[in-house]
Amino acid sequence: MKNNIQEVKMHQPQLVRFFNKVSAEQKINHSYIFEGLDRDDVYAFSLWIAQLVLCREKQADGSACGVCSVCRRVATLDYPDLLTIEPDGQSLKVEQIQNAKQIMMKSALEGQAKILIIRDSEKMTPSSGNRLLKFIEEPEGETYIFFLTSQAGQLLTTIKSRCQQFTFMPISKKVITADLVAKQVPQSKAEIIAEVSNSLSEAVELIADEWFNDAKSNVEKWYSYLSKRDPLAFVYVQQYLVKLAKEREQQWLIFDLLIAFIKSSAQRAEVVATEIDLVLAARQKLKSNVSFQNVCEQLVWRLMNKA
Ligand SMILES: [Zn+2]
């Protein structure tokens, strides 16, 4: 797992305060929905909640000690009464849920609580989900279920209506930039990566992504022609960008990168705003299936002829 518990806690201070309090009052619910764009972050956070439930050396403020044998084994996924399941292919299948349920119904090997964590839980089919309802409503003994998702909107309503839901705050660009710089990424590159990613793990993946690095230097070059109103900016579209970005998602990212370079340029705020508007309008056109090359060439014309 890429993100450790300490790092995630730092990024979600409000949730940490809230759950420490709940833990101090011994009011941790038996089921929760945790929603966040970064699935590894959400998973690390749910492991921290598992520590809150299981820690044998809890602090006065309710927090888990993080260092006792239980806390350590939870963090390294080496605790026998903690079970994680995730989709096998496109969905969470009935058999997976059935197996998990059977394990959960046995008594805890360590004599404490048993915890089930379901990742990507929006991929539960209705028949899988319905098998868990009784578990949520009448938890037998000390059993806990945490549903993790990046799209709570797609979770089964039967589950949603029975669990308290918490959504992670998106991590600010500043935090992502600082984190990348701490990982030895140069400041200017860190700012561009932070600008185009929604989460820390996405940002970390981009650092070494060959296609991304190639795209980044190409867009930088393209933008340097654009800002000099050099007609080479037209040629550049056909010669490089079209070949580079064949997939729709890559084409989106080209525009995101362009916006990142515009934001980092030393122009007046109004100019930056106008340019970003033009790129956003172009990005919108891609949605209506206009060809990438046409959209880019129109954009070049507009950027170079703007008032
Ligand atoms: Zn502990």
Side-chain angles (χ1 to χ4, degrees):
M1 196 176 51
K2 279 176 255 132
N3 300 319
N4 72 43
I5 296 174
Q6 290 311 323
E7 224 169 81
V8 173
K9 279 173 66 184
M10 257 164 33
H11 296 147
Q12 303 296 334
Q14 285 161 328
L15 286 181
V16 168
R17 269 198 303 278
F18 175 83
F19 276 101
N20 275 338
K21 188 165 170 284
V22 169
S23 157
E25 292 166 357
Q26 302 195 310
K27 285 184 182 157
I28 298 179
N29 283 356
H30 285 264
S31 55
Y32 287 112
I33 296 168
F34 295 119
E35 179 191 32
L37 280 178
D38 187 316
R39 63 194 292 286
D40 289 331
D41 269 3
V42 180
Y43 187 43
F45 188 83
S46 71
L47 293 177
W48 176 65
I49 303 286
Q51 290 180 334
L52 284 185
V53 172
L54 296 164
C55 175
R56 288 182 183 159
E57 314 273 344
K58 266 202 202 176
Q59 314 293 292
D61 68 348
S63 59
C65 75
V67 290
C68 71
S69 136
V70 176
C71 282
R72 275 187 282 125
R73 283 182 293 150
V74 167
T76 54
L77 304 179
D78 195 18
Y79 187 81
D81 298 313
L82 172 73
L83 176 66
T84 301
I85 58 172
E86 56 190 323
D88 171 16
Q90 287 304 304
S91 64
L92 273 150
K93 306 207 165 62
V94 173
E95 308 87 78
Q96 288 182 277
I97 302 287
Q98 207 55 36
N99 284 342
K101 245 179 102 173
Q102 263 161 21
I103 297 171
M104 291 295 285
M105 269 149 63
K106 291 187 187 136
S107 51
L109 292 165
E110 301 257 338
Q112 295 199 85
K114 292 184 80 93
I115 299 176
L116 171 61
I117 299 177
I118 306 183
R119 304 187 74 177
D120 303 317
S121 59
E122 74 279 358
K123 297 201 170 128
M124 245 178 332
T125 60
S127 50
S128 306
N130 289 338
R131 275 159 217 259
L132 290 172
L133 299 185
K134 198 163 169 292
F135 241 112
I136 301 171
E137 283 174 339
E138 305 157 29
E140 284 181 42
E142 284 284 281
T143 53
Y144 293 80
I145 304 188
F146 305 144
F147 297 93
L148 315 188
T149 179
S150 54
Q151 296 156 297
Q154 291 184 19
L155 260 180
L156 298 166
T157 27
T158 45
I159 302 280
K160 273 176 76 173
S161 59
R162 286 166 173 83
C163 305
Q164 210 179 347
Q165 181 187 322
F166 292 90
T167 300
F168 278 33
M169 282 188 310
I171 298 179
S172 79
K173 306 291 182 200
K174 264 191 192 155
V175 172
I176 297 181
T177 306
D179 209 281
L180 295 179
V181 169
K183 290 184 165 70
Q184 313 300 324
V185 178
Q187 177 81 23
S188 59
K189 184 176 180 185
E191 280 170 15
I192 297 292
I193 294 181
E195 197 52 50
V196 299
S197 37
N198 290 311
S199 68
L200 200 54
S201 64
E202 197 184 328
V204 170
E205 263 169 42
L206 289 180
I207 299 174
D209 185 292
E210 211 175 301
W211 183 88
F212 174 79
N213 283 307
D214 201 18
K216 183 177 149 290
S217 34
N218 271 289
V219 174
E220 189 171 17
K221 187 92 188 144
W222 187 37
Y223 187 58
S224 79
Y225 289 134
L226 282 167
S227 37
K228 285 182 283 187
R229 307 199 178 197
D230 185 329
L232 276 175
F234 277 107
V235 183
Y236 208 82
V237 171
Q238 202 191 358
Q239 224 163 30
Y240 296 99
L241 299 183
V242 172
K243 287 174 195 152
L244 183 70
K246 295 208 167 75
E247 310 288 329
R248 263 301 186 244
E249 276 186 12
Q250 296 175 328
Q251 298 168 356
W252 296 126
L253 197 50
I254 294 288
F255 287 136
D256 289 346
L257 277 166
L258 184 56
I259 290 177
F261 281 111
I262 292 172
K263 281 188 181 170
S264 70
S265 70
Q267 304 178 93
R268 279 180 297 122
E270 311 92 81
V271 181
V272 168
T274 311
E275 291 193 347
I276 290 176
D277 280 348
L278 290 171
V279 181
L280 289 175
R283 210 177 183 284
Q284 198 60 32
K285 262 196 213 121
L286 261 194
K287 278 193 188 160
S288 52
N289 276 326
V290 184
S291 90
F292 181 58
Q293 183 172 344
N294 279 347
V295 174
C296 286
E297 286 172 353
Q298 272 181 28
L299 178 62
V300 169
W301 193 87
R302 292 207 168 119
L303 283 169
M304 300 213 301
N305 291 284
K306 66 182 186 297

